[in-house]
Amino acid sequence: MKAIVIILAAIVIAAAGAAIVLIGHDGDNDNGKDGGDNDGGQPEKVDGVMKLTIDGVNVPVTWNDNASVDTIRTMAKDGLTVNTHRYGGFEQVGSLGKSVVREDSSVTSSPGDIFLYSGNQIVLFFGENSYSYTQLGKIDLSDGEITVLLDKESAVVTLYLE
């Protein structure tokens, strides 16, 4: 009987360890302000120009020069796909899969703006909204072209380096 209890306890402990791995806890209590996965809190520098596609369509973007963009560029070095959904009738939003450094400020968006929301979601605007975001960049297309690309139920956004 004692052997069965010990075996059951070992199974429970192993299952708990597996659950922690599946959840992806890495011990980083990141609040989204310091971002990054390395010890210095600074994103790893990678070479290459970050490109963006929406549902396979190459989209010209002027990226801001900030730590958030640097971190996302690092995430995109092997390709980063974000499944987005329409929200509020003015944006596509989707999870980056992890929190990155952010420097939120109150802004009013316009079509083509690309923002970081809550440190872990990318937002692409085809309309206007006022909120607190970190500016990432701007899509260099007309408002009409942006609306055609983004005003739908969902979109697949891919970031990669060239």
Side-chain angles (χ1 to χ4, degrees), residues 45-96:
K45 294 289 184 182
V46 293
D47 292 328
V49 176
M50 187 162 58
K51 301 289 187 168
L52 181 139
T53 66
I54 301 171
D55 291 331
V57 176
N58 289 317
V59 177
V61 174
T62 300
W63 296 103
N64 288 30
D65 183 14
N66 62 40
S68 301
V69 173
D70 290 344
T71 302
I72 293 169
R73 182 178 291 111
T74 299
M75 294 168 61
K77 70 182 177 183
D78 296 320
L80 174 64
T81 299
V82 180
N83 295 308
T84 66
H85 64 277
R86 181 173 43 208
Y87 179 80
F90 49 81
E91 69 185 41
Q92 285 283 336
V93 61
S95 175
L96 291 170

Side-chain angles (χ1 to χ4, degrees), residues 1-15:
M1 178 71 170
K2 188 174 184 180
I4 293 173
V5 171
I6 291 172
I7 291 171
L8 288 175
I11 291 171
V12 169
I13 290 169

Side-chain angles (χ1 to χ4, degrees), residues 82-124:
V82 180
N83 295 308
T84 66
H85 64 277
R86 181 173 43 208
Y87 179 80
F90 49 81
E91 69 185 41
Q92 285 283 336
V93 61
S95 175
L96 291 170
K98 73 177 218 174
S99 291
V100 301
V101 62
R102 67 186 206 215
E103 298 173 15
D104 293 351
S105 61
S106 294
V107 295
T108 298
S109 67
S110 61
D113 283 340
I114 304 172
F115 288 114
L116 178 67
Y117 168 69
S118 194
N120 62 1
Q121 296 178 64
I122 191 167
V123 183
L124 295 88

